[in-house]
Amino acid sequence: MASFDIPTIDVSPFIRSDENEEGKKKAIEQMREACVNYGFFQIANHGIPLDLLSRIMDMYKTFFACSDEEKLSVPSDNYFKSTKKSAGTYEQLLFHLSSSGFNVCPENPPHFKQVLEEMASRFTNLGFVLGRIISECLGIPPNFLANYRNDQAKDFLLGIHYSPATEAENVGKSAHKDPGCITILYQPEVGGLQVQKDEQWIPIAPSKHKLVVNIGDVIQVLSNNKFKSATHRVIRPRETIRYSCAFFFNVQGDKWIEPLPQCTKEIGESPKYRGFIFKEYVQRRRRDETHPPARPEDHFNISHYSISN
């Protein structure tokens, strides 16, 4: 296991919209380096109130402590419980922005939906800030990603509860890359998230004050491999329950994804990927989750669209 801390970036100059140009320049440089080398970084001074983050985590704990009968009253598109040994043991509650959250919202805890909506709104605004910085890192207009995404139809908030590991098995989420644009994660109390770099796994320490950010496959393709979508996983700790909250900042499902001209022909480089429709890529990934191929190397991933030059 590698001993290394992923970069922490102060994004407050962009949150406050002040005239701290030096602070903005430093954040852009640090984020560019992190996206090139790791695909992961932490952000400090992100502007989301700590009391709101604490409240949403407390509400997730209350919900996951409910009876199975109560939890299963939530539509299956929103609540899922995994007991497959190969996938670890976890349960998750998904909040879609496109359909106003749940068709049936849990009654316990009270006011859950209102807090989920506020949390999703805060993460959405932060996603736009990060998109602006990443756009500047790529040398494209600051509002590019905001305009490129079109709408929030594929954005969602995810609360996850992991059961403690056993002697025989400790996988929470197996190694994977995220398909979308940006993922923002909050793991305040218990770690378990690990990112792969140079064939080593780097543990990311929990923090009540920092958020973890990773870029997804869409950014890797748009940047023509300049920025990387890092492989990561979750290892369940022994004798400890783990809770986390993640926000997935995606693109509209019908969006055509291909390397940007600013990252290819305008700088004399050939495209490293052929284009594809985002929702079709996600559907192929999900099919592997429900019907896993016999060999791990046969899992569908972004390399399927790679162009051999």
Side-chain angles (χ1 to χ4, degrees):
M1 184 83 61
S3 177
F4 180 79
D5 291 327
I6 65 170
T8 297
I9 302 168
D10 180 0
V11 295
S12 60
F14 290 91
I15 300 296
R16 294 195 302 260
S17 298
D18 57 21
E19 298 302 318
N20 183 1
E21 295 303 323
E22 280 301 313
K24 291 179 180 179
K25 182 179 178 182
K26 181 178 179 181
I28 291 170
E29 291 174 351
Q30 289 177 322
M31 199 170 293
R32 181 186 296 113
E33 181 179 357
C35 290
V36 168
N37 294 317
Y38 312 107
F40 259 79
F41 51 90
Q42 296 180 108
I43 55 173
N45 302 317
H46 45 70
I48 298 180
L50 181 58
D51 60 349
L52 177 60
L53 289 166
S54 298
R55 190 177 182 197
I56 193 68
M57 297 309 295
D58 287 343
M59 286 188 160
Y60 279 133
K61 291 175 184 178
T62 300
F63 171 77
F64 288 125
C66 290
S67 67
D68 284 345
E69 182 180 1
E70 286 182 89
K71 288 183 287 191
L72 291 172
S73 69
V74 177
S76 59
D77 285 346
N78 298 109
Y79 174 72
F80 172 77
K81 185 173 185 177
S82 169
T83 55
K84 291 182 179 179
K85 201 168 184 180
S86 61
T89 302
Y90 66 92
E91 54 184 340
Q92 61 188 34
L93 184 69
L94 191 150
F95 182 81
H96 284 287
L97 274 66
S98 60
S99 58
S100 300
F102 304 108
N103 294 322
V104 179
C105 190
E107 295 181 1
N108 190 16
H111 312 296
F112 197 11
K113 185 176 181 181
Q114 293 92 315
V115 176
L116 287 168
E117 288 174 341
E118 182 178 359
M119 191 74 259
S121 176
R122 294 275 190 168
F123 273 133
T124 297
N125 291 337
L126 180 58
F128 282 120
V129 171
L130 294 170
R132 176 187 171 189
I133 303 173
I134 289 172
S135 293
E136 295 204 36
C137 290
L138 286 171
I140 56 182
N143 292 329
F144 172 81
L145 276 180
N147 296 329
Y148 182 82
R149 281 170 20 91
N150 293 340
D151 60 32
Q152 300 177 30
K154 294 296 179 181
D155 294 356
F156 61 92
L157 183 65
L158 189 68
I160 313 178
H161 161 228
Y162 295 93
S163 299
T166 65
E167 288 187 10
E169 201 269 335
N170 68 350
V171 175
K173 288 286 183 77
S174 56
H176 66 283
K177 297 182 179 184
D178 292 343
C181 287
I182 303 168
T183 304
I184 306 169
L185 176 84
Y186 186 55
Q187 55 164 11
E189 297 172 344
V190 179
L193 177 65
Q194 299 178 353
V195 59
Q196 190 176 47
K197 178 173 171 54
D198 300 330
E199 299 184 356
Q200 292 185 303
W201 289 104
I202 302 167
I204 300 177
S207 173
K208 290 186 177 181
H209 302 281
K210 299 176 184 177
L211 297 171
V212 181
V213 179
N214 68 277
I215 61 172
D217 291 340
V218 167
I219 301 296
Q220 177 169 304
V221 172
L222 293 178
S223 72
N224 203 36
N225 267 4
K226 181 177 181 181
F227 291 173
K228 67 169 61 176
S229 174
T231 301
H232 54 287
R233 67 183 184 183
V234 175
I235 298 299
R236 289 153 42 220
R238 293 287 299 271
E239 301 178 356
T240 306
I241 294 173
R242 179 181 186 268
Y243 297 94
S244 64
C245 173
F247 182 75
F248 295 83
F249 197 71
N250 289 320
V251 294
Q252 197 269 341
D254 291 327
K255 195 71 180 178
W256 180 258
I257 312 296
E258 65 181 353
L260 296 172
Q262 296 94 328
C263 299
T264 52
K265 63 182 180 181
E266 291 184 12
I267 59 173
E269 292 189 6
S270 300
K272 293 181 170 63
Y273 297 93
R274 55 189 174 88
F276 58 92
I277 296 173
F278 179 66
K279 68 179 180 182
E280 293 180 356
Y281 173 47
V282 173
Q283 287 167 354
R284 292 287 298 271
R285 293 258 311 238
R286 287 178 178 166
R287 193 177 306 141
D288 278 1
E289 292 175 6
T290 55
H291 300 83
R295 301 186 307 166
E297 58 267 30
D298 291 334
H299 275 273
F300 194 84
N301 56 54
I302 201 64
S303 64
H304 175 82
Y305 302 105
S306 295
I307 297 173
S308 298
N309 292 320

